[in-house]
Amino acid sequence: MAVLAALFTTAADFSSYAAADSVKFLFFAGIEGSGHHAWRHMWRHNGLRKMKNAHVAVQHIISHENNTSHDNNKTIYVTSTRLNSALLNGHEGRNVFNPQTAGDLEMAIRVVEDEVRTFASQLKNKRVVVVINTAGGNMMSYPFGGGGGYKAIHMPNMEFLARVIDDVRGDLRVVVLLRDPALAVSSGIRRGYYHSEGYHCGIAEGGDQDRARCEMEYVRLATQGQRLIFEQLHVLSKRSWACSTLAMPDDHAEVVRSRINEDLYAHLDVATNGLRMVMDDIIAKCPAHIRLGDINAISSWLFA
């Protein structure tokens, strides 16, 4: 497959033609609790069009243009169920980020290539954004939920995604989701991802010691996920990524305390220091910042 050759290129080798293509493929990279669901809520109120696949989306967009007075400066946001499932499908292994076999991976890559190629080739010179995650289906957080007891390897591969999309003349853009470490970690813990079914860090009934151990392990896992995001960003050019920070509520201390055990709360600064350091490194290098829900800012950044 052509994409296999692309895996051995460097960021500097990425083709320059992608910058001229109108269609953008938007991926949100963040640990659990960093803002995926906040963006999902935002999309619901901003006219995003949920489509079965790229072919249906293309027909819908072209038909809509033909039947209405189209504003060429208006950005159209769509999502494809087929593309989302090809990247991560919790019900089967035929996906890019969590394949069960090499054959599953190859088939999933072909689906991603077909989706990207269809969007990119048939909607040229149109301001179209394909929202890969956060709009519906799998959120693809670092790590993503479900899948049993191998959380440490249940991480999206942004670098691989960039190379696959670039290989078929797509233009990947990434928004890195950031949030106060204590709030992000406590959100993940509240959702129970650290003791989900099949995960080895289960909590015995009434076992405060087990809970403390599991919650600290989740902090380490979130830190690992954030560090992986930072490393994967190196393959992207500065024009290709930006940051979005979820605002801190006034009662953040009370919110955090209600979600985690007393031991973790008492030593929270020490426990989350590694996570905070990685986030600070990302913020220091971030080429652009986008406020949550600011559709105009996203459009201006994508099509600058």
Side-chain angles (χ1 to χ4, degrees), residues 150 184 191 194 213:
Y150 300 96
R191 294 176 185 277
Y194 64 99
R213 174 178 59 84

Side-chain angles (χ1 to χ4, degrees), residues 143-155 193-194 196 199 221 224:
F144 44 81
Y150 300 96
K151 293 290 186 183
I153 62 172
H154 284 173
M155 304 279 187
Y193 279 85
Y194 64 99
S196 59
Y199 189 38
L221 187 60
Q224 177 184 342

Side-chain angles (χ1 to χ4, degrees), residues 75-94:
T75 302
I76 300 172
Y77 294 90
V78 300
T79 186
S80 164
T81 299
R82 183 172 182 246
L83 176 58
N84 182 278
S85 295
L87 290 172
L88 180 60
N89 189 330
H91 303 292
E92 60 180 60
R94 194 171 298 167

Side-chain angles (χ1 to χ4, degrees), residues 107-168:
M107 293 182 68
I109 290 174
R110 288 177 178 172
V111 172
V112 173
E113 289 178 330
D114 180 61
E115 286 283 300
V116 173
R117 188 183 294 111
T118 299
F119 276 117
S121 64
Q122 298 190 37
L123 294 175
K124 286 184 177 180
N125 302 317
K126 302 185 190 303
R127 294 169 66 95
V128 174
V129 179
V130 181
V131 181
I132 295 175
N133 58 340
T134 73
N138 295 290
M139 293 297 181
M140 305 183 202
S141 57
Y142 287 68
F144 44 81
Y150 300 96
K151 293 290 186 183
I153 62 172
H154 284 173
M155 304 279 187
N157 190 331
M158 194 186 341
E159 179 178 358
F160 188 82
L161 177 63
R163 297 179 190 279
V164 171
I165 289 179
D166 182 83
D167 192 54
V168 287

Side-chain angles (χ1 to χ4, degrees), residues 115-272:
E115 286 283 300
V116 173
R117 188 183 294 111
T118 299
F119 276 117
S121 64
Q122 298 190 37
L123 294 175
K124 286 184 177 180
N125 302 317
K126 302 185 190 303
R127 294 169 66 95
V128 174
V129 179
V130 181
V131 181
I132 295 175
N133 58 340
T134 73
N138 295 290
M139 293 297 181
M140 305 183 202
S141 57
Y142 287 68
F144 44 81
Y150 300 96
K151 293 290 186 183
I153 62 172
H154 284 173
M155 304 279 187
N157 190 331
M158 194 186 341
E159 179 178 358
F160 188 82
L161 177 63
R163 297 179 190 279
V164 171
I165 289 179
D166 182 83
D167 192 54
V168 287
R169 295 178 177 265
D171 188 3
L172 176 68
R173 300 301 178 93
V174 173
V175 173
V176 180
L177 301 178
L178 299 168
R179 191 183 188 186
D180 176 75
L183 285 165
V185 165
S186 66
S187 177
I189 288 173
R190 178 179 61 86
R191 294 176 185 277
Y193 279 85
Y194 64 99
H195 63 89
S196 59
E197 184 178 355
Y199 189 38
H200 69 273
C201 197
I203 298 177
E205 185 175 352
D208 290 339
Q209 185 174 357
D210 282 346
R211 178 176 176 179
R213 174 178 59 84
C214 287
E215 293 190 4
M216 187 59 214
E217 185 167 317
Y218 182 81
V219 174
R220 292 163 57 196
L221 187 60
T223 304
Q224 177 184 342
Q226 194 71 63
R227 185 171 293 114
L228 184 58
I229 292 172
F230 178 63
E231 293 172 354
Q232 290 178 358
L233 286 171
H234 292 170
V235 77
L236 303 176
S237 65
K238 287 185 177 181
R239 71 169 180 83
S240 297
W241 68 283
C243 297
S244 178
T245 302
L246 189 60
M248 185 182 299
D250 293 335
D251 61 343
H252 65 276
E254 290 79 3
V255 171
V256 171
R257 185 162 196 161
S258 68
R259 294 172 173 174
I260 61 179
N261 74 84
E262 286 298 323
D263 177 78
L264 180 56
Y265 186 81
H267 306 94
L268 197 56
D269 286 344
V270 174
T272 60

